[in-house]
Amino acid sequence: MARQAGFQHFLPIVTEKEMFSCVIMMFVLLCSSIADENSVGDADIFPSAPEIERGSTLKLFCVLGKHYTPHRNASHIIWKLNHELITEENYNIVNETVSSVTIHNFTYSKAHVKCFIKYLGEEQLLVHTEVKSGFPPDTPGNISCIYYFDVELTCTWTSGRETNLRTNYTLYRKL
């Protein structure tokens, strides 16, 4: 499959370092919501709409808004993958308002992870996200470029197997 040089595709693989960045971002958001007394958000999920490498570990955080505290806290949060309850051994209570879930060996090409609050025997959906998984892109092959002097550079290449994720190819031209 040949691609034009103008097409932009991107495959973000979530690494431990990036997950740590998400945790930092979550705490910054938490601190800002504590500082903002007028905050009305019910719940948030981080990272939102992640794309990960198929077979890797997924970690998500559900953050309760002020609407739910002090009557309910992170210990009331339950998680579902599509419509199936995720076992509690995969949950972690970070603090009073934050619960995380870890899903090992994520092999779905696309799935919905949902964060619910259980209160008085009822499950109420707080927030959900769609998770996509795919494969790292292969190294492009059969690169062919046509250069029209000082006007246009057009390149094509074979991209390898389908990644099932956004992939970004960047071509660097050296004069």
Side-chain angles (χ1 to χ4, degrees):
M1 175 178 182
R3 299 206 188 234
Q4 292 286 344
F7 289 156
Q8 296 294 312
H9 301 279
F10 180 65
L11 172 65
I13 302 297
V14 180
T15 63
E16 287 182 11
K17 184 177 180 182
E18 289 167 322
M19 285 307 260
F20 180 73
S21 295
C22 288
V23 171
I24 296 300
M25 180 179 69
M26 178 193 63
F27 285 114
V28 168
L29 178 67
L30 234 136
C31 291
S32 68
S33 70
I34 290 169
D36 180 8
E37 294 301 323
N38 297 322
S39 178
V40 290
D42 290 329
D44 285 309
I45 195 165
F46 297 100
S48 179
E51 292 186 349
I52 63 171
E53 185 172 350
R54 185 138 327 139
S56 65
T57 297
L58 170 68
K59 188 162 190 163
L60 294 170
F61 298 87
C62 184
V63 182
L64 289 175
K66 293 179 193 290
H67 172 78
Y68 292 100
T69 55
H71 307 293
R72 291 164 270 191
N73 59 44
S75 67
H76 296 112
I77 290 176
I78 61 170
W79 293 86
K80 290 187 179 182
L81 175 59
N82 291 329
H83 300 292
E84 300 294 320
L85 185 65
I86 299 171
T87 59
E88 288 187 29
E89 66 190 27
N90 296 310
Y91 300 4
N92 182 38
I93 307 303
V94 177
N95 63 30
E96 188 175 282
T97 60
V98 180
S99 171
S100 71
V101 67
T102 303
I103 303 170
H104 300 282
N105 192 28
F106 191 91
T107 57
Y108 294 88
S109 60
K110 187 188 311 185
H112 291 273
V113 180
K114 299 175 183 179
C115 170
F116 291 83
I117 191 125
K118 193 162 188 168
Y119 188 66
L120 300 175
E122 298 289 322
E123 292 176 5
Q124 180 181 1
L125 177 63
L126 294 172
V127 65
H128 67 92
T129 190
E130 183 178 77
V131 180
K132 294 180 182 177
S133 76
F135 305 100
D138 292 332
T139 302
N142 296 326
I143 299 171
S144 173
C145 296
I146 299 173
Y147 179 59
Y148 301 98
F149 185 72
D150 285 339
V151 177
E152 182 180 339
L153 174 66
T154 303
C155 297
T156 59
W157 59 86
T158 55
S159 56
R161 71 177 172 176
E162 180 60 47
T163 66
N164 297 317
L165 298 172
R166 288 175 282 147
T167 305
N168 183 35
Y169 294 97
T170 304
L171 176 68
Y172 293 97
R173 173 177 88 166
K174 187 174 181 180
L175 296 176

